[in-house]
Amino acid sequence: MPSRRSALTLLAGAGTALALGTPTAHARPPRPRPFGRYGSPSRRLDALTLYVDPHGRGDHTDVRSAVDAATGTGRTLVLAPGTYRGTVLVTAARAELTLIGASGDPRDTVIVHDNAAGTPKPDGSGTHGTSGSATVTVQAAGFTARDVTFANDWLRSDHPEYTGTQAVAIKVQGDRSAFYGCRFLGHQDTLYADSLALTAFARQYYRDCYVEGDVDFVFGRATAVYDRCHFRTLTRTDLTSAPYGFVFAPSTAGANPRGYLVLRSRVTSTAPDAYYKLARPWVPSSDLTAHPMLTVRDSHLGAGIDAVTPYGTMSSGFPWQDQRFAEYRNTGPGARVTVPANRPQLTASESRAHTPAGYLGDWRPHA
């Protein structure tokens, strides 16, 4: 079985449908029109659009330099199919930035790197830590991505000596951040949906996205809506018993009335049945007043989720029963209510507040 790193390298640029995580046998040569319907440097959509192509047919050959060049507000980066290795920082000064995968298939356009929390910094000043491990960090408000894969292909098996095994694919902190048809690949802490500060209630929207991982792989304190998304739990060779991990680990600020909302989505697994929990609350040492919130509704929970005890506790002083966890009208073997006390359910009346509009307010990316 190829490593995630080799799989991702071969995956990018493939023109045929592929199983997730499986490399194509023969990568196609560069496409004659790498930017598809989005123009080109000679037929630029507008003055605010830049083109990125690893084969040199754009304004830039890597995403990092393109983002650095995209100063001001309202810029668009059109990414040709390819694997773009390296870290990317979208600072707060680059508001309303849009990234578009030109082919329309997120498997073709991959932004990937391989730092973990325990990876030493190049300057010898310590390790990266969880936040520093992110392949992409988004601090700007109004960020949008379409049809792009964000990945962290660091593997525990490559560094068994590491204790810091968090490896973030993307950390999103900006308000009004939206992702459409994107993929997020990693293992531990894949998608960090967060905010810039405890008092900043960053709103985020994910539609028709795919997220995979094992430990707490969707986590953070953002107000985030996951609409029609697919969450995939991975098997683990380093553990011999359940649980392998948790899908969600929200750390919602106590003052924030809205945390994570998952609706019209599904959770599947490559692991044995009942080897995963649906969620556990994260109350970080930096905010002991956090009151994690997660609502999962109208979604299909596969057999990989432990239906008897779907929630766990991360810190003994903050049991999951004291948090804002709830479900509503879920289906599938992982949604069976076998112990009612372990499956808090919304009433029909309560459910009316748990909608994209109810969480995102006057921002309507779902319209």
Side-chain angles (χ1 to χ4, degrees):
M1 176 66 69
S3 70
R4 174 182 298 280
R5 187 170 299 113
S6 63
L8 282 169
T9 301
L10 292 170
L11 240 172
T16 57
L18 298 167
L20 289 163
T22 302
T24 179
H26 301 286
R28 289 187 176 181
R31 303 182 185 195
R33 295 182 62 231
F35 306 110
R37 61 189 178 91
Y38 296 102
S40 68
S42 62
R43 296 183 296 110
R44 204 174 297 274
L45 292 183
D46 56 50
L48 295 178
T49 300
L50 294 174
Y51 296 88
V52 187
D53 174 44
H55 302 287
R57 294 166 296 177
D59 300 301
H60 298 270
T61 58
D62 66 281
V63 178
R64 184 182 206 167
S65 65
V67 169
D68 290 347
T71 56
T73 299
R75 303 300 294 265
T76 296
L77 304 184
V78 180
L79 312 182
T83 297
Y84 299 92
R85 181 166 288 279
T87 59
V88 176
L89 171 63
V90 182
T91 65
R94 289 164 172 79
E96 313 298 333
L97 179 70
T98 297
L99 265 58
I100 299 174
S103 76
D105 186 338
R107 293 172 295 183
D108 291 340
T109 305
V110 180
I111 305 173
V112 60
H113 204 60
D114 60 351
N115 283 332
T119 301
K121 293 180 181 179
D123 63 5
S125 62
T127 56
H128 283 288
T130 299
S131 292
S133 74
T135 297
V136 176
T137 300
V138 177
Q139 299 171 343
F143 178 85
T144 300
R146 297 180 182 273
D147 304 319
V148 176
T149 291
F150 302 90
N152 189 319
D153 61 358
W154 185 88
L155 295 171
R156 297 183 185 95
S157 59
D158 290 346
H159 297 281
E161 75 279 10
Y162 280 23
T163 55
T165 57
Q166 302 88 346
V168 178
I170 188 169
K171 180 175 183 177
V172 187
Q173 298 177 282
D175 186 35
R176 296 179 292 103
S177 298
F179 297 82
Y180 303 93
C182 290
R183 298 195 310 160
F184 306 90
L185 308 182
H187 287 275
Q188 183 172 352
D189 291 6
T190 304
L191 172 54
Y192 195 169
D194 204 50
S195 70
L196 287 169
L198 289 177
T199 55
F201 303 155
R203 296 164 295 175
Q204 301 172 16
Y205 182 67
Y206 301 80
R207 189 174 75 197
D208 299 316
C209 291
Y210 172 89
V211 194
E212 69 175 34
D214 49 41
V215 179
D216 304 332
F217 63 94
V218 182
F219 73 114
R221 64 173 174 243
T223 294
V225 174
Y226 306 93
D227 191 357
R228 298 184 306 213
C229 291
H230 178 188
F231 303 92
R232 183 92 163 154
T233 61
L234 302 177
T235 194
R236 296 182 63 174
T237 59
D238 59 319
L239 296 178
T240 57
S241 60
Y244 277 174
F246 306 79
V247 181
F248 302 100
S251 58
T252 321
N256 190 349
R258 294 289 181 262
Y260 285 179
L261 171 65
V262 180
L263 74 159
R264 298 178 291 204
S265 296
R266 59 189 172 118
V267 179
T268 64
S269 184
T270 64
D273 291 356
Y275 264 53
Y276 273 87
K277 307 290 188 184
L278 185 60
R280 62 178 177 175
W282 177 32
V283 179
S285 58
S286 59
D287 180 22
L288 297 179
T289 66
H291 195 193
M293 181 179 184
L294 168 70
T295 296
V296 181
R297 60 170 300 171
D298 301 296
S299 296
H300 186 274
L301 308 182
I305 296 299
D306 180 358
V308 178
T309 56
Y311 301 104
T313 293
M314 187 180 299
S315 304
S316 60
F318 305 96
W320 74 263
Q321 293 90 343
D322 291 348
Q323 312 310 323
R324 295 176 283 179
F325 284 5
E327 301 177 48
Y328 183 67
R329 294 195 316 192
N330 294 319
T331 60
R336 287 196 301 265
V337 180
T338 58
V339 181
N342 290 345
R343 309 295 303 241
Q345 303 289 317
L346 296 174
T347 65
S349 176
E350 290 170 336
S351 73
R352 287 194 283 271
H354 295 265
T355 64
Y359 276 57
L360 303 177
D362 60 358
W363 179 50
R364 298 298 176 94
H366 49 87

PDB file of all heavy atoms in Angstrom, residues 165-197:
ATOM      1  N   THR A 165       1.741  14.544  17.555  1.00  0.00           N
ATOM      2  CA  THR A 165       1.340  13.936  16.284  1.00  0.00           C
ATOM      3  C   THR A 165       0.194  14.675  15.602  1.00  0.00           C
ATOM      4  O   THR A 165      -0.344  14.195  14.605  1.00  0.00           O
ATOM      5  CB  THR A 165       0.952  12.465  16.491  1.00  0.00           C
ATOM      6  OG1 THR A 165      -0.096  12.387  17.468  1.00  0.00           O
ATOM      7  CG2 THR A 165       2.149  11.656  16.979  1.00  0.00           C
ATOM      8  N   GLN A 166      -0.197  15.831  16.129  1.00  0.00           N
ATOM      9  CA  GLN A 166      -1.182  16.655  15.435  1.00  0.00           C
ATOM     10  C   GLN A 166      -0.558  17.169  14.132  1.00  0.00           C
ATOM     11  O   GLN A 166       0.598  17.615  14.129  1.00  0.00           O
ATOM     12  CB  GLN A 166      -1.624  17.836  16.303  1.00  0.00           C
ATOM     13  CG  GLN A 166      -2.232  17.453  17.639  1.00  0.00           C
ATOM     14  CD  GLN A 166      -1.221  17.283  18.754  1.00  0.00           C
ATOM     15  OE1 GLN A 166      -0.010  17.204  18.510  1.00  0.00           O
ATOM     16  NE2 GLN A 166      -1.690  17.246  19.982  1.00  0.00           N
ATOM     17  N   ALA A 167      -1.321  17.110  13.047  1.00  0.00           N
ATOM     18  CA  ALA A 167      -0.801  17.535  11.749  1.00  0.00           C
ATOM     19  C   ALA A 167      -1.963  18.139  10.966  1.00  0.00           C
ATOM     20  O   ALA A 167      -2.735  17.425  10.332  1.00  0.00           O
ATOM     21  CB  ALA A 167      -0.175  16.365  10.994  1.00  0.00           C
ATOM     22  N   VAL A 168      -2.070  19.450  11.010  1.00  0.00           N
ATOM     23  CA  VAL A 168      -3.232  20.178  10.498  1.00  0.00           C
ATOM     24  C   VAL A 168      -3.113  20.401   8.996  1.00  0.00           C
ATOM     25  O   VAL A 168      -2.072  20.846   8.503  1.00  0.00           O
ATOM     26  CB  VAL A 168      -3.367  21.538  11.221  1.00  0.00           C
ATOM     27  CG1 VAL A 168      -4.538  22.344  10.676  1.00  0.00           C
ATOM     28  CG2 VAL A 168      -3.531  21.318  12.729  1.00  0.00           C
ATOM     29  N   ALA A 169      -4.180  20.106   8.257  1.00  0.00           N
ATOM     30  CA  ALA A 169      -4.207  20.419   6.828  1.00  0.00           C
ATOM     31  C   ALA A 169      -4.512  21.898   6.608  1.00  0.00           C
ATOM     32  O   ALA A 169      -3.889  22.547   5.768  1.00  0.00           O
ATOM     33  CB  ALA A 169      -5.239  19.553   6.112  1.00  0.00           C
ATOM     34  N   ILE A 170      -5.486  22.421   7.346  1.00  0.00           N
ATOM     35  CA  ILE A 170      -5.824  23.840   7.225  1.00  0.00           C
ATOM     36  C   ILE A 170      -6.352  24.355   8.555  1.00  0.00           C
ATOM     37  O   ILE A 170      -7.117  23.669   9.252  1.00  0.00           O
ATOM     38  CB  ILE A 170      -6.862  24.088   6.098  1.00  0.00           C
ATOM     39  CG1 ILE A 170      -7.057  25.595   5.853  1.00  0.00           C
ATOM     40  CG2 ILE A 170      -8.173  23.381   6.398  1.00  0.00           C
ATOM     41  CD1 ILE A 170      -7.854  25.902   4.584  1.00  0.00           C
ATOM     42  N   LYS A 171      -5.908  25.550   8.918  1.00  0.00           N
ATOM     43  CA  LYS A 171      -6.444  26.260  10.076  1.00  0.00           C
ATOM     44  C   LYS A 171      -7.154  27.497   9.558  1.00  0.00           C
ATOM     45  O   LYS A 171      -6.547  28.368   8.930  1.00  0.00           O
ATOM     46  CB  LYS A 171      -5.338  26.661  11.051  1.00  0.00           C
ATOM     47  CG  LYS A 171      -5.874  27.401  12.287  1.00  0.00           C
ATOM     48  CD  LYS A 171      -4.798  27.702  13.309  1.00  0.00           C
ATOM     49  CE  LYS A 171      -5.398  28.374  14.540  1.00  0.00           C
ATOM     50  NZ  LYS A 171      -4.394  28.633  15.597  1.00  0.00           N
ATOM     51  N   VAL A 172      -8.462  27.560   9.809  1.00  0.00           N
ATOM     52  CA  VAL A 172      -9.289  28.657   9.314  1.00  0.00           C
ATOM     53  C   VAL A 172      -9.722  29.505  10.499  1.00  0.00           C
ATOM     54  O   VAL A 172     -10.386  29.020  11.411  1.00  0.00           O
ATOM     55  CB  VAL A 172     -10.521  28.121   8.556  1.00  0.00           C
ATOM     56  CG1 VAL A 172     -11.275  29.275   7.902  1.00  0.00           C
ATOM     57  CG2 VAL A 172     -10.122  27.085   7.522  1.00  0.00           C
ATOM     58  N   GLN A 173      -9.373  30.796  10.471  1.00  0.00           N
ATOM     59  CA  GLN A 173      -9.677  31.700  11.577  1.00  0.00           C
ATOM     60  C   GLN A 173     -10.562  32.877  11.177  1.00  0.00           C
ATOM     61  O   GLN A 173     -11.148  33.530  12.032  1.00  0.00           O
ATOM     62  CB  GLN A 173      -8.372  32.243  12.173  1.00  0.00           C
ATOM     63  CG  GLN A 173      -7.458  31.186  12.771  1.00  0.00           C
ATOM     64  CD  GLN A 173      -6.155  31.781  13.263  1.00  0.00           C
ATOM     65  OE1 GLN A 173      -5.250  32.075  12.474  1.00  0.00           O
ATOM     66  NE2 GLN A 173      -6.052  31.984  14.556  1.00  0.00           N
ATOM     67  N   GLY A 174     -10.641  33.160   9.891  1.00  0.00           N
ATOM     68  CA  GLY A 174     -11.348  34.349   9.453  1.00  0.00           C
ATOM     69  C   GLY A 174     -12.857  34.194   9.458  1.00  0.00           C
ATOM     70  O   GLY A 174     -13.396  33.105   9.243  1.00  0.00           O
ATOM     71  N   ASP A 175     -13.553  35.289   9.700  1.00  0.00           N
ATOM     72  CA  ASP A 175     -15.011  35.323   9.629  1.00  0.00           C
ATOM     73  C   ASP A 175     -15.446  35.246   8.164  1.00  0.00           C
ATOM     74  O   ASP A 175     -14.752  35.717   7.268  1.00  0.00           O
ATOM     75  CB  ASP A 175     -15.528  36.616  10.259  1.00  0.00           C
ATOM     76  CG  ASP A 175     -17.047  36.657  10.363  1.00  0.00           C
ATOM     77  OD1 ASP A 175     -17.664  35.607  10.601  1.00  0.00           O
ATOM     78  OD2 ASP A 175     -17.621  37.758  10.195  1.00  0.00           O
ATOM     79  N   ARG A 176     -16.592  34.660   7.935  1.00  0.00           N
ATOM     80  CA  ARG A 176     -17.169  34.507   6.597  1.00  0.00           C
ATOM     81  C   ARG A 176     -16.243  33.728   5.661  1.00  0.00           C
ATOM     82  O   ARG A 176     -16.014  34.101   4.522  1.00  0.00           O
ATOM     83  CB  ARG A 176     -17.520  35.868   5.983  1.00  0.00           C
ATOM     84  CG  ARG A 176     -18.595  36.635   6.746  1.00  0.00           C
ATOM     85  CD  ARG A 176     -18.900  37.988   6.122  1.00  0.00           C
ATOM     86  NE  ARG A 176     -17.773  38.903   6.252  1.00  0.00           N
ATOM     87  CZ  ARG A 176     -16.946  39.207   5.270  1.00  0.00           C
ATOM     88  NH1 ARG A 176     -17.097  38.690   4.055  1.00  0.00           N
ATOM     89  NH2 ARG A 176     -15.955  40.063   5.466  1.00  0.00           N
ATOM     90  N   SER A 177     -15.744  32.601   6.153  1.00  0.00           N
ATOM     91  CA  SER A 177     -14.919  31.712   5.335  1.00  0.00           C
ATOM     92  C   SER A 177     -15.808  30.615   4.764  1.00  0.00           C
ATOM     93  O   SER A 177     -16.563  29.974   5.508  1.00  0.00           O
ATOM     94  CB  SER A 177     -13.801  31.095   6.177  1.00  0.00           C
ATOM     95  OG  SER A 177     -12.937  32.091   6.677  1.00  0.00           O
ATOM     96  N   ALA A 178     -15.718  30.373   3.459  1.00  0.00           N
ATOM     97  CA  ALA A 178     -16.595  29.403   2.810  1.00  0.00           C
ATOM     98  C   ALA A 178     -15.791  28.454   1.929  1.00  0.00           C
ATOM     99  O   ALA A 178     -14.857  28.871   1.233  1.00  0.00           O
ATOM    100  CB  ALA A 178     -17.654  30.121   1.977  1.00  0.00           C
ATOM    101  N   PHE A 179     -16.178  27.183   1.960  1.00  0.00           N
ATOM    102  CA  PHE A 179     -15.510  26.145   1.177  1.00  0.00           C
ATOM    103  C   PHE A 179     -16.578  25.337   0.454  1.00  0.00           C
ATOM    104  O   PHE A 179     -17.512  24.829   1.077  1.00  0.00           O
ATOM    105  CB  PHE A 179     -14.692  25.226   2.088  1.00  0.00           C
ATOM    106  CG  PHE A 179     -13.569  25.933   2.800  1.00  0.00           C
ATOM    107  CD1 PHE A 179     -13.815  26.664   3.967  1.00  0.00           C
ATOM    108  CD2 PHE A 179     -12.268  25.876   2.313  1.00  0.00           C
ATOM    109  CE1 PHE A 179     -12.790  27.327   4.624  1.00  0.00           C
ATOM    110  CE2 PHE A 179     -11.234  26.538   2.971  1.00  0.00           C
ATOM    111  CZ  PHE A 179     -11.496  27.270   4.123  1.00  0.00           C
ATOM    112  N   TYR A 180     -16.407  25.197  -0.852  1.00  0.00           N
ATOM    113  CA  TYR A 180     -17.370  24.479  -1.681  1.00  0.00           C
ATOM    114  C   TYR A 180     -16.652  23.371  -2.452  1.00  0.00           C
ATOM    115  O   TYR A 180     -15.686  23.642  -3.179  1.00  0.00           O
ATOM    116  CB  TYR A 180     -18.041  25.431  -2.674  1.00  0.00           C
ATOM    117  CG  TYR A 180     -18.744  26.602  -2.033  1.00  0.00           C
ATOM    118  CD1 TYR A 180     -18.089  27.822  -1.860  1.00  0.00           C
ATOM    119  CD2 TYR A 180     -20.058  26.497  -1.578  1.00  0.00           C
ATOM    120  CE1 TYR A 180     -18.722  28.902  -1.270  1.00  0.00           C
ATOM    121  CE2 TYR A 180     -20.710  27.573  -0.989  1.00  0.00           C
ATOM    122  CZ  TYR A 180     -20.035  28.775  -0.836  1.00  0.00           C
ATOM    123  OH  TYR A 180     -20.670  29.844  -0.247  1.00  0.00           O
ATOM    124  N   GLY A 181     -17.101  22.152  -2.279  1.00  0.00           N
ATOM    125  CA  GLY A 181     -16.523  21.036  -3.019  1.00  0.00           C
ATOM    126  C   GLY A 181     -15.052  20.807  -2.752  1.00  0.00           C
ATOM    127  O   GLY A 181     -14.327  20.338  -3.625  1.00  0.00           O
ATOM    128  N   CYS A 182     -14.591  21.083  -1.537  1.00  0.00           N
ATOM    129  CA  CYS A 182     -13.180  20.924  -1.196  1.00  0.00           C
ATOM    130  C   CYS A 182     -12.952  19.616  -0.440  1.00  0.00           C
ATOM    131  O   CYS A 182     -13.874  19.021   0.119  1.00  0.00           O
ATOM    132  CB  CYS A 182     -12.696  22.099  -0.352  1.00  0.00           C
ATOM    133  SG  CYS A 182     -12.586  23.662  -1.262  1.00  0.00           S
ATOM    134  N   ARG A 183     -11.708  19.188  -0.420  1.00  0.00           N
ATOM    135  CA  ARG A 183     -11.304  18.017   0.368  1.00  0.00           C
ATOM    136  C   ARG A 183     -10.266  18.451   1.403  1.00  0.00           C
ATOM    137  O   ARG A 183      -9.412  19.312   1.140  1.00  0.00           O
ATOM    138  CB  ARG A 183     -10.704  16.929  -0.512  1.00  0.00           C
ATOM    139  CG  ARG A 183     -11.652  16.358  -1.550  1.00  0.00           C
ATOM    140  CD  ARG A 183     -11.093  15.058  -2.124  1.00  0.00           C
ATOM    141  NE  ARG A 183      -9.715  15.207  -2.557  1.00  0.00           N
ATOM    142  CZ  ARG A 183      -8.866  14.187  -2.729  1.00  0.00           C
ATOM    143  NH1 ARG A 183      -9.241  12.956  -2.464  1.00  0.00           N
ATOM    144  NH2 ARG A 183      -7.637  14.412  -3.145  1.00  0.00           N
ATOM    145  N   PHE A 184     -10.314  17.788   2.569  1.00  0.00           N
ATOM    146  CA  PHE A 184      -9.385  18.051   3.660  1.00  0.00           C
ATOM    147  C   PHE A 184      -8.846  16.697   4.111  1.00  0.00           C
ATOM    148  O   PHE A 184      -9.593  15.881   4.663  1.00  0.00           O
ATOM    149  CB  PHE A 184     -10.087  18.774   4.806  1.00  0.00           C
ATOM    150  CG  PHE A 184     -10.800  20.033   4.372  1.00  0.00           C
ATOM    151  CD1 PHE A 184     -12.124  19.990   3.970  1.00  0.00           C
ATOM    152  CD2 PHE A 184     -10.136  21.251   4.340  1.00  0.00           C
ATOM    153  CE1 PHE A 184     -12.786  21.138   3.560  1.00  0.00           C
ATOM    154  CE2 PHE A 184     -10.787  22.406   3.920  1.00  0.00           C
ATOM    155  CZ  PHE A 184     -12.112  22.345   3.529  1.00  0.00           C
ATOM    156  N   LEU A 185      -7.551  16.453   3.881  1.00  0.00           N
ATOM    157  CA  LEU A 185      -6.955  15.152   4.132  1.00  0.00           C
ATOM    158  C   LEU A 185      -5.881  15.234   5.210  1.00  0.00           C
ATOM    159  O   LEU A 185      -5.031  16.114   5.181  1.00  0.00           O
ATOM    160  CB  LEU A 185      -6.323  14.597   2.847  1.00  0.00           C
ATOM    161  CG  LEU A 185      -7.190  14.558   1.582  1.00  0.00           C
ATOM    162  CD1 LEU A 185      -6.401  13.934   0.431  1.00  0.00           C
ATOM    163  CD2 LEU A 185      -8.487  13.819   1.814  1.00  0.00           C
ATOM    164  N   GLY A 186      -5.924  14.305   6.135  1.00  0.00           N
ATOM    165  CA  GLY A 186      -4.932  14.227   7.185  1.00  0.00           C
ATOM    166  C   GLY A 186      -5.244  13.069   8.097  1.00  0.00           C
ATOM    167  O   GLY A 186      -6.013  12.162   7.748  1.00  0.00           O
ATOM    168  N   HIS A 187      -4.673  13.101   9.279  1.00  0.00           N
ATOM    169  CA  HIS A 187      -4.949  12.079  10.283  1.00  0.00           C
ATOM    170  C   HIS A 187      -5.452  12.755  11.554  1.00  0.00           C
ATOM    171  O   HIS A 187      -6.648  12.874  11.756  1.00  0.00           O
ATOM    172  CB  HIS A 187      -3.706  11.213  10.523  1.00  0.00           C
ATOM    173  CG  HIS A 187      -3.410  10.275   9.403  1.00  0.00           C
ATOM    174  ND1 HIS A 187      -3.989   9.035   9.289  1.00  0.00           N
ATOM    175  CD2 HIS A 187      -2.619  10.413   8.303  1.00  0.00           C
ATOM    176  CE1 HIS A 187      -3.583   8.436   8.193  1.00  0.00           C
ATOM    177  NE2 HIS A 187      -2.743   9.265   7.574  1.00  0.00           N
ATOM    178  N   GLN A 188      -4.552  13.236  12.393  1.00  0.00           N
ATOM    179  CA  GLN A 188      -4.969  13.911  13.627  1.00  0.00           C
ATOM    180  C   GLN A 188      -5.078  15.414  13.377  1.00  0.00           C
ATOM    181  O   GLN A 188      -4.155  16.037  12.848  1.00  0.00           O
ATOM    182  CB  GLN A 188      -3.975  13.642  14.750  1.00  0.00           C
ATOM    183  CG  GLN A 188      -4.382  14.248  16.092  1.00  0.00           C
ATOM    184  CD  GLN A 188      -3.485  13.806  17.240  1.00  0.00           C
ATOM    185  OE1 GLN A 188      -2.641  12.940  17.074  1.00  0.00           O
ATOM    186  NE2 GLN A 188      -3.674  14.395  18.402  1.00  0.00           N
ATOM    187  N   ASP A 189      -6.228  15.991  13.762  1.00  0.00           N
ATOM    188  CA  ASP A 189      -6.444  17.446  13.664  1.00  0.00           C
ATOM    189  C   ASP A 189      -6.403  17.949  12.222  1.00  0.00           C
ATOM    190  O   ASP A 189      -5.766  18.969  11.918  1.00  0.00           O
ATOM    191  CB  ASP A 189      -5.406  18.206  14.501  1.00  0.00           C
ATOM    192  CG  ASP A 189      -5.601  18.000  15.998  1.00  0.00           C
ATOM    193  OD1 ASP A 189      -6.454  17.180  16.383  1.00  0.00           O
ATOM    194  OD2 ASP A 189      -4.891  18.651  16.774  1.00  0.00           O
ATOM    195  N   THR A 190      -7.109  17.300  11.340  1.00  0.00           N
ATOM    196  CA  THR A 190      -7.080  17.658   9.917  1.00  0.00           C
ATOM    197  C   THR A 190      -7.603  19.064   9.653  1.00  0.00           C
ATOM    198  O   THR A 190      -6.933  19.888   9.019  1.00  0.00           O
ATOM    199  CB  THR A 190      -7.917  16.656   9.104  1.00  0.00           C
ATOM    200  OG1 THR A 190      -7.442  15.330   9.342  1.00  0.00           O
ATOM    201  CG2 THR A 190      -7.860  16.972   7.618  1.00  0.00           C
ATOM    202  N   LEU A 191      -8.816  19.358  10.119  1.00  0.00           N
ATOM    203  CA  LEU A 191      -9.495  20.626   9.826  1.00  0.00           C
ATOM    204  C   LEU A 191      -9.683  21.407  11.121  1.00  0.00           C
ATOM    205  O   LEU A 191     -10.480  21.027  11.978  1.00  0.00           O
ATOM    206  CB  LEU A 191     -10.848  20.358   9.161  1.00  0.00           C
ATOM    207  CG  LEU A 191     -11.785  21.552   8.942  1.00  0.00           C
ATOM    208  CD1 LEU A 191     -11.103  22.676   8.192  1.00  0.00           C
ATOM    209  CD2 LEU A 191     -13.050  21.104   8.227  1.00  0.00           C
ATOM    210  N   TYR A 192      -8.946  22.497  11.240  1.00  0.00           N
ATOM    211  CA  TYR A 192      -8.959  23.328  12.446  1.00  0.00           C
ATOM    212  C   TYR A 192      -9.854  24.533  12.141  1.00  0.00           C
ATOM    213  O   TYR A 192      -9.407  25.534  11.588  1.00  0.00           O
ATOM    214  CB  TYR A 192      -7.531  23.746  12.766  1.00  0.00           C
ATOM    215  CG  TYR A 192      -7.271  24.318  14.141  1.00  0.00           C
ATOM    216  CD1 TYR A 192      -5.957  24.512  14.580  1.00  0.00           C
ATOM    217  CD2 TYR A 192      -8.301  24.657  15.023  1.00  0.00           C
ATOM    218  CE1 TYR A 192      -5.673  25.031  15.835  1.00  0.00           C
ATOM    219  CE2 TYR A 192      -8.028  25.172  16.275  1.00  0.00           C
ATOM    220  CZ  TYR A 192      -6.703  25.363  16.674  1.00  0.00           C
ATOM    221  OH  TYR A 192      -6.431  25.876  17.926  1.00  0.00           O
ATOM    222  N   ALA A 193     -11.125  24.427  12.488  1.00  0.00           N
ATOM    223  CA  ALA A 193     -12.102  25.500  12.257  1.00  0.00           C
ATOM    224  C   ALA A 193     -12.148  26.363  13.504  1.00  0.00           C
ATOM    225  O   ALA A 193     -12.831  26.041  14.480  1.00  0.00           O
ATOM    226  CB  ALA A 193     -13.470  24.910  11.942  1.00  0.00           C
ATOM    227  N   ASP A 194     -11.445  27.475  13.474  1.00  0.00           N
ATOM    228  CA  ASP A 194     -11.178  28.247  14.686  1.00  0.00           C
ATOM    229  C   ASP A 194     -11.548  29.716  14.471  1.00  0.00           C
ATOM    230  O   ASP A 194     -12.302  30.069  13.571  1.00  0.00           O
ATOM    231  CB  ASP A 194      -9.694  28.088  15.047  1.00  0.00           C
ATOM    232  CG  ASP A 194      -9.414  28.322  16.514  1.00  0.00           C
ATOM    233  OD1 ASP A 194     -10.105  27.719  17.361  1.00  0.00           O
ATOM    234  OD2 ASP A 194      -8.479  29.087  16.820  1.00  0.00           O
ATOM    235  N   SER A 195     -11.011  30.593  15.304  1.00  0.00           N
ATOM    236  CA  SER A 195     -11.214  32.033  15.180  1.00  0.00           C
ATOM    237  C   SER A 195      -9.929  32.738  15.581  1.00  0.00           C
ATOM    238  O   SER A 195      -9.001  32.119  16.113  1.00  0.00           O
ATOM    239  CB  SER A 195     -12.382  32.504  16.049  1.00  0.00           C
ATOM    240  OG  SER A 195     -12.053  32.419  17.426  1.00  0.00           O
ATOM    241  N   LEU A 196      -9.881  34.041  15.350  1.00  0.00           N
ATOM    242  CA  LEU A 196      -8.668  34.801  15.652  1.00  0.00           C
ATOM    243  C   LEU A 196      -8.504  35.094  17.131  1.00  0.00           C
ATOM    244  O   LEU A 196      -7.394  35.360  17.592  1.00  0.00           O
ATOM    245  CB  LEU A 196      -8.666  36.111  14.863  1.00  0.00           C
ATOM    246  CG  LEU A 196      -8.391  35.990  13.366  1.00  0.00           C
ATOM    247  CD1 LEU A 196      -8.678  37.313  12.665  1.00  0.00           C
ATOM    248  CD2 LEU A 196      -6.941  35.564  13.113  1.00  0.00           C
ATOM    249  N   ALA A 197      -9.598  35.084  17.889  1.00  0.00           N
ATOM    250  CA  ALA A 197      -9.546  35.394  19.312  1.00  0.00           C
ATOM    251  C   ALA A 197     -10.768  34.796  20.000  1.00  0.00           C
ATOM    252  O   ALA A 197     -11.764  34.458  19.346  1.00  0.00           O
ATOM    253  CB  ALA A 197      -9.508  36.909  19.530  1.00  0.00           C
TER     254      ALA A 197
END
